[in-house]
Amino acid sequence: MKTRITELFGIERPIIQGGMHYVGFAELAAAVANAGGLGLITSLTQPTPAHLAAEIRKCRTLTDKPFGVNLTFLPSVNPPDYPGYVQAIIDGGIKIVETAGNNPQKWMPPLKAAGVKVIHKCTSVRHALKAEAVGVDALSIDGFECGGHPGEDDVPNFILLPRAADELKIPFVASGGLADARGLVAALAMGADGINMGTRFIATQEAPVHIRVKEAILAATELDTRLIMRPLRNTERVLVNAGVERLLEKERDLGTNITFQDIAPEVAGVYPRVMKDGEMDAGGWSCGMVVGLIHDLPTVQQLLDRIIGEAEAIIRGRLAGVL
């Protein structure tokens, strides 16, 4: 399957494994790369730039195909060593970076000077146009149904993707609500050049997370995600659990007076407890509504083979047959 995204990144299949905290390790990124997609190591899961450099080296021992690194720029009291992470990416010979969070403009000069292609995640067309203007090579457009941070506009992909196609000149992939061939074909039909999957990749054999996390995804339906931190305008879609219910109760009780400190027990430091230790009620962890479409734990190779094979059947069979 050939699109502007496969051509841009030198991959065989227009499927990207997005950056995910405490999920995007070398094992998963390499598995996706070996299956013909684009796998990404998540920078900020690594405690220091030196750890990221080691993870990049580890990934190179597991695949000889293109893989990239996710780097999320978030406002914080004690910001991570972003210059160090950027240097580790460049020194590690990485040529594809997924940026997210804040505008990546500040970091574009060193990345472009090193020949790095940048794909930036956006939740709105206006932010996508800004990113296009500062020189990113591609965009990942996140609809309201996505796990993690869907922004504050609440526009689902059936509207957002055609809007993006109308406005953007550079290639983009659809993110949010994607798990199978139907989503890939629909995304292509709406103007995207591929798809970015997060939650679906957690439910694979190679995802280096606790089995209880995978079981929770299999047990969930499309009704089992919740939006947290809306009053703080830092909305996150997460899988419901006892910790999330505690957090939502605080939001209801405190209303507009709520602060981050009030909910810190349910959001700060939660990821290692959930993803590594399997503490499923610790608090909020990113998960998309797409859980309603996930019913098995294939290998990454099996998953991508299935998506591409079924997509071809839909395009050549069902769609051709309606004309």
Side-chain angles (χ1 to χ4, degrees):
M1 191 175 279
K2 189 176 288 190
T3 73
R4 292 189 295 171
I5 284 291
T6 62
E7 299 292 288
L8 180 65
F9 294 138
I11 55 178
E12 299 159 40
R13 293 165 164 179
I15 300 173
I16 298 173
Q17 164 251 313
M20 292 176 283
H21 206 31
Y22 280 88
V23 182
F25 292 97
E27 297 90 338
L28 182 58
V32 175
N34 287 331
L38 178 62
L40 298 174
I41 295 170
T42 305
S43 288
L44 298 188
T45 296
Q46 301 298 325
T48 68
H51 286 87
L52 174 60
E55 197 71 10
I56 291 169
R57 290 194 296 272
K58 179 180 180 182
C59 199
R60 291 209 188 281
T61 70
L62 301 174
T63 185
D64 58 2
K65 294 188 176 181
F67 65 92
V69 171
N70 161 277
L71 187 52
T72 299
F73 302 110
L74 294 173
S76 56
V77 179
N78 299 303
D81 179 9
Y82 286 124
Y85 284 109
V86 169
Q87 198 58 49
I89 288 167
I90 292 169
D91 291 346
I94 293 295
K95 295 302 179 186
I96 305 166
V97 167
E98 176 191 65
T99 56
N102 286 348
N103 188 321
Q105 182 172 9
K106 176 181 176 182
W107 307 102
M108 292 298 290
L111 291 172
K112 300 313 289 182
V116 176
K117 293 184 173 71
V118 176
I119 178 168
H120 184 63
K121 292 193 90 168
C122 299
T123 60
S124 71
V125 174
R126 65 185 183 280
H127 292 146
L129 287 168
K130 283 183 189 173
E132 184 178 61
V134 303
V136 304
D137 299 278
L139 291 153
S140 178
I141 305 295
D142 280 27
F144 181 54
E145 52 277 69
C146 73
H149 297 277
E152 309 300 325
D153 292 348
D154 300 0
V155 181
N157 266 330
F158 250 72
I159 308 300
L160 190 59
L161 297 176
R163 281 283 297 115
D166 287 345
E167 299 278 353
L168 299 171
K169 296 180 180 67
I170 60 175
F172 69 93
V173 297
S175 182
L178 287 314
D180 58 28
R182 296 169 297 185
L184 172 58
V185 174
L188 294 172
M190 286 187 279
D193 298 280
I195 58 173
N196 179 313
M197 300 194 303
T199 306
R200 172 69 268 199
F201 276 119
I202 305 177
T204 58
Q205 294 291 325
E206 291 91 341
V209 302
H210 200 284
I211 186 60
R212 284 201 282 271
V213 176
K214 301 181 186 185
E215 290 170 346
I217 290 173
L218 294 185
T221 76
E222 65 275 17
L223 304 177
D224 291 325
T225 68
R226 299 291 184 270
L227 297 172
I228 62 173
M229 297 191 285
R230 295 230 93 171
L232 300 174
R233 293 189 63 78
N234 187 30
T235 302
E236 183 179 7
R237 187 179 296 281
V238 299
L239 193 68
V240 68
N241 59 48
V244 168
E245 296 285 19
R246 286 195 305 273
L247 189 160
L248 290 171
E249 187 174 355
K250 291 179 187 179
E251 290 187 352
R252 286 191 295 270
D253 291 345
L254 295 170
T256 55
N257 295 320
I258 198 164
T259 68
F260 180 79
Q261 295 311 122
D262 295 317
I263 59 170
E266 286 78 36
V267 292
V270 163
Y271 275 85
R273 292 169 60 193
V274 173
M275 297 298 176
K276 291 169 67 177
D277 304 331
E279 289 184 43
M280 299 314 298
D281 291 319
W285 56 279
S286 295
C287 184
M289 296 175 84
V290 76
V291 285
L293 301 178
I294 298 173
H295 309 297
D296 63 350
L297 295 175
T299 66
V300 168
Q301 185 74 53
Q302 288 168 341
L303 176 62
L304 266 61
D305 286 350
R306 182 168 74 200
I307 290 174
I308 296 298
E310 291 180 0
E312 185 173 335
I314 292 169
I315 294 166
R316 293 188 190 279
R318 186 167 190 275
L319 296 184
V322 302
L323 295 175

